[in-house]
Amino acid sequence: MTTIDPETRIPDPIELDEAEEARLRAAAGLGPIPREGGEYAGFESVGIPDRPPQTDRERDVYTLNEGEMLINLGPQHPSTHGVMRLVVKVRGEVIVDIDPVLGYLHRGIEKLCENATYTTVLTYVDPMDYLSSMHNEHAPAIAFEKLYGIKAPPRAEYIRALVVELNRVFSHGLMMGFLALDMGGLTPILYSFINRDEVVDMLSAISGQRMLFNFFRLGGVNWDTNDEFLSRLGTWRSHVLDNVLMNERMITENEIFTTRTKGMGVLTGDEAISLGVTGPNLRASGVPFDIRKAHPYSIYNELEFDIITQESGDSYARYLQRIAEIKQSIHLIDQIIDKMPHGPVQAQVPGIIRPKPGRAYGAVESPRGLYSVYAISDGGPNPYRFRMRDPSFISLQALPKIMPGRLLADTMAVMASFDPVMGGVDK
Amino acid sequence: MAVDPPAVRPDGPIIIPDQAENDALLAPFNMEDHPQGGFHGLLEVIPTKADYILDLIRANSLWPLLSGLSCCAIEMMSTATSVNDIDRFGMFPFRASPRQADVLIVAGTLTTKMAGPLVRLWEQMPEPKWCVAMGTCTTSGGRFKRSYSVVQGVDRVMPVDVYVPGCPPRPEGLIYGMMKLHELVKQRRGEWSTFVDRGPQRTRWEGDVR
Amino acid sequence: MEHVRRPRPTADALGRRCPLSAPAAAGSLVRLVTERLGSDLEHLWTDEDTVEFQVEAARAVDVLTTLRDDPDFDFFMLADEAAVDYGVGSHLEVVYHLFSWKHPAWLRVRARVDRADPRIGTVTHLWEGAMFHEREAYDMMGIVFEGNRDLRRIYMSPDYRSFPLRKDFILPDDAADSPAAGVNPLERPETWDLARFRDAPAVAVPAIGERGGPPPALESGETEADTSRPR
C-alpha cells in the first residue's frame, strides 16, 4: 500500500517555471521581470463577484495573480450537503483561497420564532439541522424550561436522551455514507440509508414523523414509548453493531479512502478552538471538549461514558471519531434502556406558556458540535429573541484555513468530513 | 486512378425545402389546426402510435436532477436508496448536470437567493422536462409562510406538474407523486406538452452580453 | 402536583447532581469578576449555571481580552456571539457566551451598543471563529464591528437593504402581501371557475353495506390510479 507523506508539498508548475526563469535570467545577468500587482477580477472579466469588493478580505480573495483562476462550486453541485456556494481561487489544481457564500437556504427561522408561541417554536427549529432534529428541539426545550422554571419528569429526560442518542447514531452513520459518496463510493451511502430508515421508522413510531419529529415539549416529550417503538428498538439494537461494522469494514481499510483522507485537512486543537469548531471535529483534533461532560444537561450525569479523542486532526481522524461515537452512543442507549424509570412524560404546563422576563442559555451536544439557544423572554407568549448557534455554520470557517495548498478535488472530501448541514448553516 | 470531380450543376445546387413549419402537410391527418402546431412525434407520418411508445419510454426512464435543497432532499435520497427503491422505476441516475436530466424534483425550501440559480437550472434542462414540487415548502411556502426570504411556492417561478405535499413527504408519497407523473407523461398532460415551441427562449439576465 | 412551576432545585428527589449544584462554585467566578473587572461591569447577575454582566460597547473588547488571557479566568472558547434588539426606543446588544475549564459556569457578557450609531470592536483577533458570528450580526441587525476585515452580508443578498431581525422590520401577516403574490392563478380569485363545482353532479358513493357488485366503470380520461374521488 502506498503511503503519502502528509508533509509532501505538491510541486506547483507555475512556481517551477518562475524558478527556472529566474535562474536563467540570473545566469544571463538580467534582473527579474517586473510584475505588476494582481488584477482585480471584476464582473467584466469573470463574473465573480458581480459588484466591486466591499471588504479587505473580499479584495484579497477576488484579486487574481499570475496563473490564478476563480472556480464557482455553485449552489447546485453533486455533493450532498445542500446548497452552498464555494468560490475557489485555484492556481492550476492547487487551491489558493476559498470564499464560502452562504444564505441560499436562509429561511428566517429566528424571525418566525419571534412571532410564534413557545410550543410552536419547538416545531420551527426542526428543519434547521434536519439530520439531528431531536437535538434542535432539545436545546430550546432546555432554555425554555430554564426560563419557565420547570423541570421535566425523569422518565421524560430519559426518553429525551434515548431519542437524542438514536438521532446521533443515524446522523453519524449518514456522515460515513456521505463522506464515501463525495469521494465517489456509491455503496456505503446505501448501507447508511438502510440503517437510517430503520431508526427513523422507529422514531416515527414514537413521534409520528419520519424526519422533522415534533417530539419535544416544554416540560417533557409528547408521547410515551409504545409497543411498536420498543419492538423496533430491540430488533434494531440486535443487529446495529454488525451493520456499522460492515459499513466500517468497507470503508476504513480501503486504500483509496485512506489515501484521500489521511493527512488531509489537518486542524490542530488550538486552531480548532480559535475557529469555534466543536463536537466530533474538535475531539478529533485532540481537545476533550464534550458538552455532555462539561456542562451536563438532562441525565448525562448518571450515564457512564468517556470522552473519546483522536490525535491527528485530519479527515481520517474525524471519520474514526464518528465511528467511535456511534459505538459510544449505542453504549449510552443500552444504559438508558436499563435505567429508565416509570412515570409521566410531560409536566403539567398551561396551553399558552408565559415565562417571567429573563434570559436563558441552553446548550446541547449535537452530532456536529455545540448547538445552543439563547432565549430572551419578555413575559409574553412569544419569545422576545430566539437565537440559535449552529455548529456547522461556525465549522465552515475552518475550510479557508486548511484547504490552501491542497488540490481542488480534496475540497469536497474535507468538507464532508466536517459534516455540515446547510439547513443549520443558513438557518 | 484519377477521379473527375463532380460536375457543378448548371442550375445551382439542389435545395430541399424545410417543411417544419408547413402545417398544410398535416391535412390528410386532420391535424393542421392542432394546438401544438407543426410536426411533432417520432415518425412525422404517424404521430399517434409511435408517440405512445415514445411517451412510454420517457415515462419509464425519467432521470431526476440532483436538486436537493434541504430536508426533503434527505427523503428524496431515502427514496433513491435501498429500502424505497426508485431504481425500479428507472429513476436511479440522479444527474448532476441539468443538460442530462428530465425531471426537476425541487426538494426543499426555495429561498429568494436560490431562486435565480434554480430557474437557471430549469432553463438549462432541455425539453421534454417536467417539474415536481416536493414538500409543502415548494408547494406553497409551507411552514415558512410569513418568512421574508422564502419563495411562497416554486410555482411562482416555474411551471409545476406534480405537487407532492408533506413535510417531508414519505418516500411512498414521493413515489406516488412520480407515478402520477408517469400518468401525466403518458397522457401528455404536463406543462411541457402544452408548451408551444417558438424557438430558443431564455430569460434576459442583467449583464448578459447578448 | 409534583411538576408544577417552581424554581429549579439544586438537587431533586433522585439525588442527581444538577450542573453547579453549589452556588459557591460560581461564587469564585463572581468574586474574580468583581475584583478584576469591577470598574467595567454593571448589573451582575447569576443563575445556577450562568454568570452574567453588562458592559459598555467601548469596553467590550478589553474585557473579553482579559477574560481570555488572564490565567485565572482562562475563557478560551467563545461559544456564541449573538445580537439582540431591545426595541425601537432602546439600545442593541451583543451577547458573548464564554466557556472555561476552570469555572463550571457559562459566562455571559452583554455589551450595550447604541442604536443610532451601532459600532463595537471586533473580537476576530481573539477568536477567528467570531467572523461568521459578526457577519451574521451585521446582516441581521446592522451592528458594525470595527476592525473586522470581512464585514459583509452573509445570509441575504449583497444588495439587500434591510436588517431583518430588527424590531422595526415586521413580517407581513398575509402572504398575499409578499412579492410575486398572484403570479399563480390559484392565488387570484378572479380566475377561479366555481361553476364547474356547482353544476357537477354529486358523486353518490353507496355505503359499505349496500355495495353489491364491482365498482362503476372508469370514465374517459381517468385511470385506476386516480384517487381524487372515491370509487
Side-chain angles (χ1 to χ4, degrees):
Chain A
M1 190 177 95
T2 57
T3 50
I4 288 199
D5 179 16
E7 298 304 310
T8 306
R9 210 169 149 263
I10 300 154
D12 188 4
I14 294 175
E15 277 185 20
L16 289 175
D17 279 344
E18 287 176 1
E20 175 80 15
E21 185 180 12
R23 202 164 43 243
L24 289 173
R25 287 180 74 90
L30 303 167
I33 296 181
R35 303 241 185 248
E36 299 157 5
E39 131 202 338
Y40 172 65
F43 178 67
E44 296 81 23
S45 51
V46 233
I48 310 171
D50 51 355
R51 70 201 176 286
Q54 296 172 321
T55 60
D56 296 336
R57 162 99 179 124
E58 235 188 330
R59 200 170 291 119
D60 289 344
V61 170
Y62 294 106
T63 301
L64 298 179
N65 294 314
E66 186 89 28
E68 291 176 351
M69 181 169 67
L70 289 173
I71 291 184
N72 200 14
L73 294 180
Q76 187 259 347
H77 51 75
S79 164
T80 43
H81 303 292
V83 281
M84 175 175 67
R85 182 170 151 223
L86 290 177
V87 181
V88 182
K89 183 159 75 168
V90 292
R91 172 188 275 200
E93 189 80 16
V94 178
I95 292 177
V96 173
D97 210 344
I98 294 186
D99 183 31
V101 180
L102 311 173
Y104 289 96
L105 197 54
H106 179 63
R107 297 169 278 197
I109 294 181
E110 290 185 354
K111 188 75 180 181
L112 287 171
C113 286
E114 289 178 12
N115 296 295
T117 59
Y118 284 91
T119 313
T120 314
V121 165
L122 290 171
T123 65
Y124 268 126
V125 292
D126 276 328
M128 257 192 65
D129 189 349
Y130 39 82
L131 290 180
S132 56
S133 289
M134 293 294 190
H135 302 267
N136 286 13
E137 294 181 33
H138 199 180
I142 292 177
F144 294 159
E145 285 169 5
K146 282 185 188 175
L147 278 179
Y148 197 52
I150 196 174
K151 267 171 67 162
R155 185 177 174 85
E157 293 283 11
Y158 273 90
I159 294 179
R160 279 181 174 181
L162 175 63
V163 295
V164 151
E165 293 304 319
L166 281 170
N167 203 333
R168 197 191 309 275
V169 168
F170 88 69
S171 177
H172 283 328
L174 281 180
M175 177 269 181
M176 290 162 61
F178 286 145
L179 181 58
L181 185 66
D182 283 352
M183 292 186 205
L186 297 175
T187 311
I189 188 82
L190 300 175
Y191 287 102
S192 296
F193 265 97
I194 291 176
N195 177 45
R196 181 246 173 197
D197 276 336
E198 223 182 315
V199 178
V200 133
D201 283 338
M202 185 198 316
L203 289 172
S204 80
I206 197 177
S207 74
Q209 258 273 50
R210 271 174 61 102
M211 206 166 135
L212 308 174
F213 331 98
N214 179 12
F215 189 50
F216 281 50
R217 297 286 180 273
L218 210 146
V221 293
N222 202 13
W223 305 103
D224 202 345
T225 58
N226 51 35
D227 290 339
E228 187 184 350
F229 172 76
L230 293 171
S231 113
R232 283 180 191 263
L233 181 63
T235 317
W236 170 81
R237 175 66 186 90
S238 62
H239 59 243
V240 62
L241 271 175
D242 296 333
N243 286 350
V244 167
L245 287 174
M246 178 170 67
N247 211 359
E248 186 188 351
R249 261 201 313 271
M250 197 169 18
I251 310 174
T252 311
E253 297 302 323
N254 187 308
E255 181 173 346
I256 299 177
F257 182 79
T258 48
T259 313
R260 286 197 71 175
T261 50
K262 276 188 178 161
M264 292 293 172
V266 178
L267 194 63
T268 60
D270 291 330
E271 272 181 4
I273 292 173
S274 171
L275 287 164
V277 176
T278 47
N281 304 320
L282 182 62
R283 291 193 285 280
S285 299
V287 179
F289 178 72
D290 190 334
I291 287 285
R292 296 175 291 178
K293 288 279 195 203
H295 279 302
Y297 55 95
S298 190
I299 43 128
Y300 285 104
N301 278 329
E302 295 155 38
L303 302 176
E304 293 174 34
F305 62 105
D306 301 318
I307 299 183
I308 310 171
T309 55
Q310 317 281 336
E311 298 102 26
S312 34
D314 54 5
S315 296
Y316 195 62
R318 287 188 279 272
Y319 164 77
L320 289 178
Q321 173 70 26
R322 284 185 171 86
I323 294 186
E325 290 198 1
I326 291 180
K327 297 176 185 159
Q328 184 189 58
S329 288
I330 295 172
H331 179 55
L332 284 172
I333 289 172
D334 290 340
Q335 294 179 49
I336 293 169
I337 298 174
D338 279 337
K339 293 186 178 174
M340 190 177 296
H342 296 285
V345 292
Q346 194 172 358
Q348 300 277 343
V349 290
I352 306 271
I353 294 152
R354 293 186 170 86
K356 283 207 294 280
R359 300 156 297 280
Y361 184 72
V364 299
E365 177 76 19
S366 103
R368 277 142 209 99
L370 165 69
Y371 182 91
S372 71
V373 162
Y374 176 53
I376 302 182
S377 155
D378 61 346
N382 305 338
Y384 186 77
R385 171 80 169 105
F386 183 75
R387 147 80 182 182
M388 295 162 290
R389 181 251 191 225
D390 186 83
S392 323
F393 181 49
I394 308 301
S395 300
L396 274 185
Q397 297 176 92
L399 211 60
K401 289 282 175 299
I402 57 179
M403 283 320 292
R406 294 287 166 200
L407 297 179
L408 185 59
D410 294 327
T411 310
M412 285 302 144
V414 169
M415 202 173 71
S417 75
F418 276 100
D419 197 16
V421 168
M422 283 302 133
V425 170
D426 286 338
K427 287 207 260 290
Chain B
M1 185 170 86
V3 177
D4 288 334
V8 176
R9 289 174 54 85
D11 41 352
I14 300 173
I15 295 179
I16 301 171
D18 184 11
Q19 302 283 7
E21 286 87 34
N22 190 357
D23 286 7
L25 293 174
L26 291 171
F29 311 101
N30 296 322
M31 291 186 82
E32 66 260 304
D33 47 352
H34 193 278
Q36 285 191 271
F39 278 108
H40 59 283
L42 174 68
L43 308 171
E44 288 161 65
V45 180
I46 313 173
T48 45
K49 293 207 169 49
D51 273 339
Y52 170 70
I53 295 174
L54 198 61
D55 289 335
L56 208 61
I57 294 171
R58 282 183 185 136
N60 289 314
S61 166
L62 285 170
W63 284 4
L65 175 67
L66 264 186
S67 67
L69 302 176
S70 79
C71 351
C72 283
I74 306 292
E75 288 293 73
M76 185 169 71
M77 280 184 238
S78 175
T79 316
T81 52
S82 311
V83 182
N84 319 101
D85 192 11
I86 215 174
D87 190 10
R88 40 194 171 135
F89 307 112
M91 295 187 208
F92 168 69
F94 276 74
R95 308 309 297 173
S97 162
R99 306 281 183 193
Q100 301 163 357
D102 292 319
V103 58
L104 179 70
I105 306 180
V106 190
T109 319
L110 183 66
T111 58
T112 49
K113 202 168 176 182
M114 186 63 195
L118 191 75
V119 173
R120 243 191 196 166
L121 282 174
W122 174 250
E123 290 172 353
Q124 284 176 341
M125 286 169 67
E127 274 93 29
K129 60 184 176 184
W130 295 269
C131 177
V132 173
M134 177 183 178
T136 52
C137 291
T138 47
T139 307
S140 72
R143 58 168 78 203
F144 302 108
K145 198 62 181 167
R146 292 176 69 194
S147 171
Y148 50 85
S149 68
V150 170
V151 174
Q152 304 293 313
V154 81
D155 52 7
R156 287 191 178 191
V157 293
M158 65 172 68
V160 175
D161 290 296
V162 178
Y163 297 87
V164 185
C167 191
R170 285 186 70 99
E172 292 92 337
L174 180 62
I175 292 176
Y176 180 68
M178 301 313 279
M179 296 298 100
K180 278 286 190 189
L181 185 64
H182 280 194
E183 258 182 69
L184 281 187
V185 170
K186 288 180 208 157
Q187 297 166 14
R188 290 218 164 194
R189 278 195 288 136
E191 298 280 335
W192 164 65
S193 60
T194 58
F195 174 79
V196 179
D197 187 5
R198 305 245 178 263
Q201 295 175 357
R202 52 191 282 268
T203 315
R204 299 282 144 203
W205 295 92
E206 283 177 61
D208 268 359
V209 176
R210 52 175 182 89
Chain C
M1 297 298 291
E2 196 181 13
H3 299 291
V4 296
R5 175 183 172 173
R6 62 187 163 89
R8 288 179 70 220
T10 50
D12 69 354
L14 285 180
R16 283 180 287 162
R17 259 190 311 117
C18 298
L20 299 185
S21 50
S28 67
L29 179 58
V30 171
R31 207 173 43 246
L32 267 177
V33 159
T34 37
E35 278 168 21
R36 307 279 171 93
L37 306 169
S39 57
D40 293 320
L41 67 89
E42 305 152 20
H43 306 129
L44 182 72
W45 177 87
T46 70
D47 193 3
E48 279 178 331
D49 57 356
T50 316
V51 173
E52 169 195 298
F53 58 86
Q54 297 189 32
V55 294
E56 272 293 325
R59 299 292 310 146
V61 180
D62 291 335
V63 165
L64 289 165
T65 315
T66 315
L67 288 170
R68 188 190 74 144
D69 296 333
D70 192 335
D72 289 328
F73 282 127
D74 196 26
F75 283 100
F76 68 101
M77 178 184 290
L78 177 73
D80 188 14
E81 185 178 340
V84 185
D85 183 354
Y86 276 103
V88 178
S90 184
H91 56 276
L92 305 172
E93 245 182 32
V94 180
V95 182
Y96 304 86
H97 285 89
L98 302 165
F99 173 83
S100 163
W101 297 116
K102 298 200 168 99
H103 304 282
W106 290 106
L107 183 65
R108 187 183 304 147
V109 180
R110 297 166 60 189
R112 250 192 337 273
V113 172
D114 191 26
R115 195 184 187 85
D117 185 27
R119 299 183 167 271
I120 188 173
T122 182
V123 292
T124 45
H125 56 281
L126 301 174
W127 294 282
E128 290 179 45
M131 172 69 77
F132 273 18
H133 280 132
E134 294 182 353
R135 280 180 69 179
E136 188 200 345
Y138 169 69
D139 191 6
M140 296 280 119
M141 290 271 184
I143 298 174
V144 176
F145 292 86
E146 292 167 329
N148 189 323
R149 290 193 73 236
D150 195 18
L151 194 67
R152 51 189 162 123
R153 287 197 179 263
I154 189 169
Y155 284 148
M156 310 309 298
S157 295
D159 52 353
Y160 197 76
R161 283 180 300 189
S162 309
F163 297 116
L165 278 174
R166 288 223 174 160
K167 288 296 177 184
D168 44 4
F169 182 96
I170 299 175
L171 286 179
D173 271 331
D174 191 358
D177 298 337
S178 66
V183 166
N184 192 354
L186 284 173
E187 293 183 34
R188 274 180 284 139
E190 65 267 16
T191 61
W192 300 346
D193 176 22
L194 296 174
R196 64 192 159 119
F197 301 118
R198 261 201 306 274
D199 303 335
V203 179
V205 181
I208 229 178
E210 292 143 38
R211 285 179 208 167
L218 294 172
E219 293 165 29
S220 70
E222 283 182 348
T223 54
E224 275 158 356
D226 189 359
T227 54
S228 54
R229 61 179 177 83
R231 311 266 166 217

